[in-house]
Structures are given as structure tokens and as C-alpha cells.
Amino acid sequence: MTAHSDTPHSGFVTIFDDTYDQPDCRAYFRMMDRLGYRNQHHAVAAFRAGLAEMMRLRGLDRARIVDFASSYGIVTALLAHDLSLAEVFARYRQPEFDTASADEVIGWDRDWLAGLRRPAPVLHVTGLDVMPNAVAYGRAVGLFQSGHVEDLEQAPPSPALASDLARCDMIVECGSVAQLMPRALDRMLAACGPVKPWVMTSPIRGNERPEAAEVLRAHGLVVERLPIPPFIHRRFESPEEQARAIANAQAAGHDTEGVETNGHFHAQILLARPEAECTNSADWPLPLGAQPMADSDPA
């Protein structure tokens, strides 16, 4: 498992290691802002729709979620709060964040998020990542009700993580980690209860891996791509990165003209769920069209 949610393998994308394990989230969100990240903006709308359908089918009034490769908890922030990605980016552009201590940022963020928490659905979120500071931040500001720093590519889940997974209703992940680390995916699902959770991910086009699909099917889940257009993940860092992304997407059978050729990685929503719960996603109550962030937001 890795905190680099858009890092499929060495040499494919630019890696921003220094932002992923700071004592607070400023460098991470400023990096996302600078590179025009949009994945979470689109993906969380779909995750919220899937969550509502899963809860309806299972008769739940609260749900337990594992935020896989959670980093500082942006997926959870958008899923559980009345908050947009654009608002998150705008917050950390404010000059007071230039000189604040990590303790000050954590205190400010704890109070800020507490005032934005959605009353429903009631969510218990487990953060899971290899970066200790990122998970600690998520716990400290109230994004994660539990958190684990573990590398499931290297070892099975600890008893504490296994306990959280055994009660999990949904696993979410933005980027490509769940596709690129089938061993970690297998270990997570093996620790889950007999009724497997729904798994919703938003991998970069071209990062879909048959090995991941095989793992999901081996655990009794039906894998599908949601019927929504591809959406922006982030801007390319360089022409070389764009060329690699186009080649990778084309190798996976994607038509890149007007998509990756326009200067951005693009992503899609993949869903895996038990066959008995395979209702028609076109009937979900939330619109799943890929709506752009406001034009006034930096691209």
C-alpha cells in the first residue's frame, strides 16, 4: 500500500513524496491545488450515491467505511462534511497558513470540520495509510474515528485493523492504489466479514489491472465501471508525463483523443459489490454526470 494514490509504478507519474508525511496537511493540499487535482471532486459524488444505495439495500442508518490509502483524509472530508474540494483548496491559500505551527493548523482544522459535519448518514471512518503523520492528522482533526499505519502489501492486517475491516460496509479509494496493489486488496477483503463490503475506487484510466478485478471476483464481488464520462484527475506535470499517460491509457483500450490529449490525467469510477446487491446504478438518486468545478477555481 502507498500514500501516493496516483503512483502506479516507477517512471509513470511524478512522485511528490515530501508532501505525504508532514505533521499537517498544508503542503499536501497546496500541491493538489497547484496541480489542478479534481478526482475527489467527481469521485466523492459517486461514492456518496453508492453509499446511499448500499445503506438502502442493507437497511442501515449508519455505515462503517475504510478510507484506503487515506493520506490526510480528503475523501472522508468531502464525504462526511458539507464541503467542496474548491473550498478546501481556498482554505489553505490563506496567508495565515504560511506561518502557523502544525499544532495551530490541527486546532483550526478540528474546529472548522466540526462545524461542517453532515448529520446524516452517520459514518464511522477508518483511515488506512503507510504515512504516520497523515493518519495522525486525520485522527487529530476528527476525520477518522480509527486509524492504522500499515503496509498491506508487506503483511496481513494487524488484529486492530482486522477488527475494523470485519465490520466494514464500504471501502473507498481515490487514485489507483486499490487497482495497483491486489495483494493489499486481497488481504483487506479476506479480513472482512462474510457479507463483503462494497468497494468504490476512482483509478486513472489505464491503471485498471486484471489482477485487481480477479481478487474482487474471488471474494464474490461483481466488478463494473459506472456509466459516467471520464473526469479530470489532475494536470500533467510535464509533456513526458502526458506521453506516458497517453500510451498507458491507449494500451488499456481507451480512446485518448480529447481526453488525455487535453492535458490532464483522467479517471473513472469502478464499483465492486455482491451480486445480490447489483441494482442499476443509473437509478441512483444522485446525479452522476461529471460536473466540473466552478470556472473561477484554478485549473
Side-chain angles (χ1 to χ4, degrees), residues 87-110:
E87 289 169 330
V88 172
F89 290 164
R91 174 175 176 79
Y92 297 103
R93 294 181 206 133
Q94 296 175 26
E96 56 263 39
F97 285 94
D98 294 342
T99 56
S101 69
D103 286 345
E104 285 176 319
V105 172
I106 289 169
W108 294 345
D109 285 357
R110 184 189 302 115

Side-chain angles (χ1 to χ4, degrees), residues 38-51:
R38 296 292 183 266
N39 190 322
Q40 293 84 358
H41 168 75
H42 300 291
V44 170
F47 293 175
R48 191 175 291 121
L51 176 66

Side-chain angles (χ1 to χ4, degrees), residues 222-283:
V222 177
V223 183
E224 62 187 280
R225 180 183 301 163
L226 290 194
I228 62 177
F231 50 84
I232 288 173
H233 173 70
R234 69 158 168 87
R235 186 186 309 110
F236 292 121
E237 175 73 354
S238 67
E240 293 77 18
E241 188 178 60
Q242 180 176 16
R244 292 192 299 267
I246 289 172
N248 201 51
Q250 289 176 347
H254 296 291
D255 181 0
T256 59
E257 185 61 36
V259 188
E260 286 80 10
T261 59
N262 283 352
H264 295 81
F265 284 108
H266 278 68
Q268 66 223 313
I269 301 293
L270 299 184
L271 166 66
R273 52 185 169 165
E275 184 174 7
E277 296 176 333
C278 286
T279 54
N280 187 354
S281 60
D283 296 332

